[in-house]
Amino acid sequence: MPERGKLGRAAIAAPIERLRARTWERLPDWTHPLIWFALCILVLVVPTFDDIWVRMFFLVGLYATLGLGLNVVVGMAGLLDLGYVAFFATGAYVVGILSAPDSPHYSAFFSYWYLLPMAVGIGALVGVLLGLPVLPLRGDYLAIVTLGFGEIIRILALNMSDQTNGSSGLFEIGRPDISYLHNLGLTGRSTVDNVQYFYVMIVIAAFAVWFVTSRLRDSRVGRAWEAIREDEDAARGMGINTTRYKLMAFSTGAAIGALGGAIYAPFIDFIAPNSFSLLVSINVLALVIIGGMGSTQGVVAGSLILIGVPELLQFSETADVLSKFDWVGQGVNQVIDGINAVTHLDLSTLPPAEKWGAKLALYRFIIFGALLVAIMVLRPSGLFPSRRRKMEFEHTPEHETAGPAGTA
Amino acid sequence: MDGARLQTIGLGMRFQGLTALADIDIDVPAGQIRGLIGPNGAGKTTLFNCLTGFYRPTSGELRLGDMRVDGLEPHELSALGISRTFQNIRLFSNMTALENVLVGAHTHMGDVRATPPAAVRPSGNRLVDIARALPGAPAGAYGSVREFVGAVARPPVVRASERRAVGFARDLLRTVGLINRENEIARNMPYGDQRRLEIARALATRPRLLLLDEPTAGMNPQESAAVVALIRRVRNEFGATVILIEHQMRVVMGVCEQVTVLDYGRKIAEGTPAEVQRDRRVVEAYLGTRAVGGDSHGTA
Ligand SMILES: Nc1ncnc2c1ncn2[C@@H]1O[C@H](COP(=O)(O)OP(=O)(O)OP(=O)(O)O)[C@@H](O)[C@H]1O
Ligand SMILES: [Mg+2]
């Protein structure tokens, strides 16, 4: 029966469509200030949380920073870069190589505050260098080659052991000295060496990056990037030097990636080639897509989910909360016992609630994966699609049959 | 903006075995509206691609005004004043109408700096000399960093240039009758509006030579008439030289002062529309494909 497949698909598609219709395709405008307000409050209260939470929020902030950087390359200029970790690693290694005591190039001369801009600058330079050979490539080809770059940097870090200590990595990376602020009585410590201080640092970095990228978006540069994303040939015809603007996009994204790396290295205190695997690139790209390409709230939401949820599922606090729901488990178990009694099924009952936390931690990536799939099914353009993409969604059905335009 | 004379001298374009253009000599005086006609596959679009740097001619010369310009990149030719529309509309489809036109204004905003060609120290390389004298931000890494800083810090000069560009873009949208649609996403606009938006975007580059590739394709007679009026206005107000690829004889007769006819990559006739229409070779070229005066034909 040929009808059957069709029916089956409709049976699945219809409820999904209904669900999609019910999720807000976009938040009403009045919620935007509220969201920003809530975010600011969250940012401000985080340092009062337990260290493990602050650590998580540091990582969220780090990935949001990286996401904003990658968004310049992928979201604005439309260059699919799967090797973003290369720049993150560059930043981390610039700081590591020059400030770890056991590094062959250790130099007491460089304080962290010299190394940070140096890392950003070298990152920008590496962005240009890696950008040059891929300039003529488009789409999938670009993605594959950049994927290679991510790996090349990792393997270089592994094999250039005279510079990087190879697989044994670099320890005790120099931490930011803030004795100046300390002497002014503004800070309680004279170096950034606990999670709260690093958290503050990454928040400042994220806001700076947000400011820079949103200014760029609304400028001649941002428009040139978008034009290249939309139609590279037409952009050239309109006077845009695509070579120059593509390199600018690569370089800007790379500098931001290196900034992230330069803050991550002293925070984690130990870097080795394995810290810079393909997974980092994929995570950053995923959070940009899940959040909604091109939108800042999207990047923040994406990193909260992508970094926050797997961590959340394994926290002892989560386990504690779950253990309070033993009554739910008992109720469910009674139902299961009942079913077992009247049927010949032998369904197993739920374990006691104290064990739920451990189970959750064990299966967290399954749950996480399901969540990601659900998000992309329900909101294919991401959680917070950028304004422009939302408009696309509002209008497309009307004009899909716009005739000759379709052949263009 | 003043029109510029365009000359091609023995221009040829070969693709592997196929000769798409051979020995094309065309001379369009400044400010003329020139028609370019010929059967399908005659090489009209290929000629536009050569004039705009999308294809690099395999032989011959290209002159704009008194400058030899073949071998330059599309963005350089655009900065020199050659602008075009595409046969199959190629707008920046996810950008608004206003943003599309602003992209067209790209070269002429921000750090505009046009060195008079005379002030450029000769490098011995014709193309390098031309590129150095182009308007736009300073070239190279220095120019890029400077533009980056300008975009982020937004000093008063950058703000002012942005304001001017928006004003200019709105003027152009008004000219083509799209001022009420400036915030619409290009891909959501009706077909005729997209064509006109493409013309506005091309005008934003301040062309001295405007190349229109079948601007009335797929339009009804009223829309075509509006585009004809627009083309005439563009020439009169902006002074640009215009070359128009067109299949509808009514449009060609209505607006073109001279017509060049291509067939199989060769120029087979040239003259006023009336002369060309009487030309035996032209009639022959069209016989078997379609009689001269045939109306609209499909797009793309
Ligand atoms: N990039 C290319 N590679 C190979 N052949 C090409 C290329 N571009 C154009 N041609 C060939 O050149 C010839 C002229 O094509 P062109 O598009 O210029 O015709 P046209 O006069 O614009 O026709 P139409 O009226 O259909 O638009 C065609 O035979 C086409 O196949
Ligand atoms: Mg054509």
Side-chain angles (χ1 to χ4, degrees):
Chain A
M1 287 202 302
E3 292 298 302
R4 201 159 152 210
K6 232 190 225 167
L7 261 180
R9 214 172 312 138
I12 298 171
I16 289 182
E17 279 309 318
R18 266 202 301 282
L19 256 177
R20 257 189 210 165
R22 227 174 294 159
T23 54
W24 23 267
E25 204 47 89
R26 65 172 181 159
L27 293 179
D29 282 346
W30 60 265
T31 60
H32 290 191
L34 291 184
I35 290 178
W36 282 115
F37 184 69
L39 196 68
C40 289
I41 296 292
L42 178 69
V43 163
L44 290 178
V45 299
V46 162
T48 66
F49 296 171
D50 280 351
D51 280 7
I52 186 165
W53 285 87
V54 183
R55 193 189 133 83
M56 183 195 97
F57 277 100
F58 170 86
L59 290 175
V60 169
L62 175 69
Y63 272 83
T65 308
L66 297 177
L68 288 171
L70 185 63
N71 193 36
V72 170
V73 187
V74 179
M76 296 194 207
L79 306 163
L80 186 50
D81 180 355
L82 292 185
Y84 197 59
V85 69
F87 311 121
F88 182 59
T90 304
Y93 266 102
V94 168
V95 172
I97 288 173
L98 291 171
S99 74
D102 59 342
S103 152
H105 297 281
Y106 171 72
S107 150
F109 169 73
F110 291 119
S111 105
Y112 180 83
W113 299 114
Y114 293 118
L115 296 179
L116 185 74
M118 202 190 291
V120 172
I122 292 177
L125 217 60
V126 172
V128 173
L129 289 180
L130 293 192
L132 277 173
V134 301
L135 276 173
L137 301 179
R138 297 184 187 186
D140 312 349
Y141 300 98
L142 178 68
I144 299 296
V145 175
T146 51
L147 185 72
F149 284 145
E151 284 298 279
I152 288 172
I153 294 274
R154 189 178 63 82
I155 291 167
L156 276 183
L158 196 61
N159 290 339
M160 290 171 52
S161 33
D162 292 347
Q163 271 74 40
T164 63
N165 271 4
S167 57
S168 34
L170 296 164
F171 296 87
E172 290 178 44
I173 288 158
R175 297 190 143 169
D177 176 15
I178 49 169
S179 48
Y180 180 74
L181 296 178
H182 181 61
N183 291 340
L184 290 178
L186 293 172
T187 57
R189 291 164 179 270
S190 56
T191 36
V192 176
D193 58 359
N194 69 355
V195 280
Q196 281 79 12
Y197 278 66
F198 272 109
Y199 168 79
V200 172
M201 228 176 120
I202 201 71
V203 167
I204 293 172
F207 269 98
V209 167
W210 167 75
F211 176 77
V212 168
T213 55
S214 55
R215 276 287 175 98
L216 284 172
R217 181 209 310 270
D218 300 329
S219 72
R220 187 174 101 122
V221 184
R223 278 195 303 270
W225 283 337
E226 293 193 344
I228 292 171
R229 179 191 73 202
E230 295 296 319
D231 187 331
E232 195 175 329
D233 290 326
R236 291 199 306 157
M238 291 305 117
I240 290 169
N241 182 345
T242 50
T243 304
R244 173 189 191 146
Y245 286 95
K246 281 180 171 184
L247 285 181
M248 268 173 94
F250 264 116
S251 183
T252 306
I256 295 171
L259 172 70
I263 297 177
Y264 175 75
F267 166 80
I268 205 77
D269 211 23
F270 164 65
I271 55 170
N274 283 343
S275 332
F276 305 102
S277 68
L278 174 63
L279 194 65
V280 178
S281 304
I282 292 181
N283 270 337
V284 180
L285 187 63
L287 77 86
V288 171
I289 292 172
I290 285 174
M293 203 121 60
S295 95
T296 310
Q297 296 112 306
V299 168
V300 175
S303 45
L304 269 172
I305 291 174
L306 215 77
I307 306 306
V309 170
E311 298 275 329
L312 204 62
L313 293 178
Q314 60 175 341
F315 280 160
S316 59
E317 281 87 347
T318 316
D320 290 346
V321 171
L322 284 176
S323 65
K324 301 208 175 76
F325 288 87
D326 204 27
W327 54 272
V328 176
Q330 282 171 9
V332 172
N333 282 346
Q334 278 179 5
V335 174
I336 293 176
D337 284 340
I339 293 175
N340 284 346
V342 298
T343 68
H344 57 274
L345 294 172
D346 190 15
L347 302 173
S348 46
T349 52
L350 293 176
E354 304 87 69
K355 296 224 175 120
W356 288 3
K359 290 278 181 205
L360 205 59
L362 194 61
Y363 297 125
R364 67 183 188 281
F365 283 111
I366 297 179
I367 297 167
F368 178 57
L371 176 70
L372 295 192
V373 171
I375 291 176
M376 289 328 281
V377 167
L378 293 177
R379 298 184 64 77
S381 55
L383 285 173
F384 296 89
S386 66
R387 200 167 46 82
R388 178 161 304 126
R389 281 169 198 274
K390 278 181 303 201
M391 288 196 272
E392 270 169 56
F393 268 83
E394 283 164 12
H395 290 278
T396 348
E398 274 177 57
H399 296 285
E400 243 165 13
T401 52
T407 65
Chain B
M1 281 183 278
D2 278 324
R5 174 182 178 191
L6 172 84
Q7 278 174 284
T8 68
I9 302 161
L11 197 78
M13 182 77 222
R14 292 177 61 87
F15 301 106
Q16 282 98 34
L18 180 103
T19 305
L21 290 176
D23 232 0
I24 303 284
D25 293 310
I26 296 180
D27 189 345
V28 188
Q32 189 180 76
I33 301 180
R34 168 70 60 101
L36 184 62
I37 65 171
N40 292 118
K44 307 180 294 293
T45 300
T46 304
L47 179 61
F48 272 18
N49 283 334
C50 290
L51 298 182
T52 47
F54 284 89
Y55 293 160
R56 191 154 293 191
T58 42
S59 57
E61 264 183 41
L62 193 61
R63 291 181 170 273
L64 185 72
D66 46 15
M67 193 187 278
R68 186 172 163 192
V69 296
D70 48 273
L72 288 170
E73 294 288 320
H75 68 267
E76 293 167 336
L77 287 167
S78 163
L80 282 176
I82 302 185
S83 191
R84 73 177 291 180
T85 64
F86 294 85
Q87 182 169 358
N88 36 14
I89 302 175
R90 293 181 75 165
L91 287 166
F92 306 118
S93 40
N94 290 316
M95 299 171 80
T96 64
L98 183 68
E99 285 169 332
N100 267 276
V101 182
L102 282 173
V103 172
H106 177 89
T107 305
H108 295 277
M109 59 182 297
D111 243 329
V112 179
R113 172 228 56 160
T115 318
V120 173
R121 203 149 28 89
S123 64
N125 182 327
R126 173 178 63 93
L127 300 181
V128 171
D129 288 350
I130 294 176
R132 280 191 188 154
L134 292 177
Y142 166 72
S144 304
V145 169
R146 186 175 161 153
E147 179 166 9
F148 183 97
V149 172
V152 173
R154 243 180 240 176
V157 264
V158 172
R159 282 170 204 271
S161 124
E162 186 83 11
R163 259 199 312 276
R164 268 199 311 274
V166 169
F168 177 50
R170 291 217 169 102
D171 286 344
L172 290 173
L173 285 173
R174 208 167 284 125
T175 305
V176 301
L178 290 177
I179 189 67
N180 296 324
R181 307 195 143 218
E182 65 171 46
N183 288 322
E184 245 179 85
I185 300 293
R187 66 139 71 149
N188 296 331
M189 297 172 78
Y191 178 72
D193 288 356
Q194 293 195 10
R195 285 250 175 241
R196 284 186 291 158
L197 179 56
E198 234 197 348
I199 296 176
R201 184 182 68 175
L203 287 175
T205 66
R206 308 190 183 197
R208 297 195 293 152
L209 171 65
L210 178 63
L211 309 174
L212 301 172
D213 200 342
E214 301 195 21
T216 66
M219 287 187 171
N220 62 35
Q222 288 92 323
E223 287 173 319
S224 296
V227 169
V228 167
L230 177 62
I231 293 170
R232 211 177 274 122
R233 226 182 117 191
V234 162
R235 196 270 307 270
N236 296 342
E237 280 177 26
F238 297 82
T241 309
V242 178
I243 304 182
L244 174 68
I245 297 180
E246 187 50 73
H247 278 287
Q248 300 186 40
M249 257 350 244
R250 194 182 319 119
V251 173
V252 175
M253 300 291 289
V255 69
C256 298
E257 288 141 3
Q258 294 264 307
V259 178
T260 300
V261 190
L262 296 185
D263 190 27
Y264 289 116
R266 292 180 182 275
K267 185 171 96 173
I268 58 165
E270 201 163 60
T272 65
E275 283 165 14
V276 160
Q277 225 174 358
R278 282 194 304 270
D279 192 293
R280 190 178 47 80
R281 277 169 306 177
V282 177
V283 177
E284 272 169 15
Y286 272 91
L287 280 178
T289 50
R290 163 183 73 249
V292 182
D295 228 48
S296 143
H297 99 127
T299 52

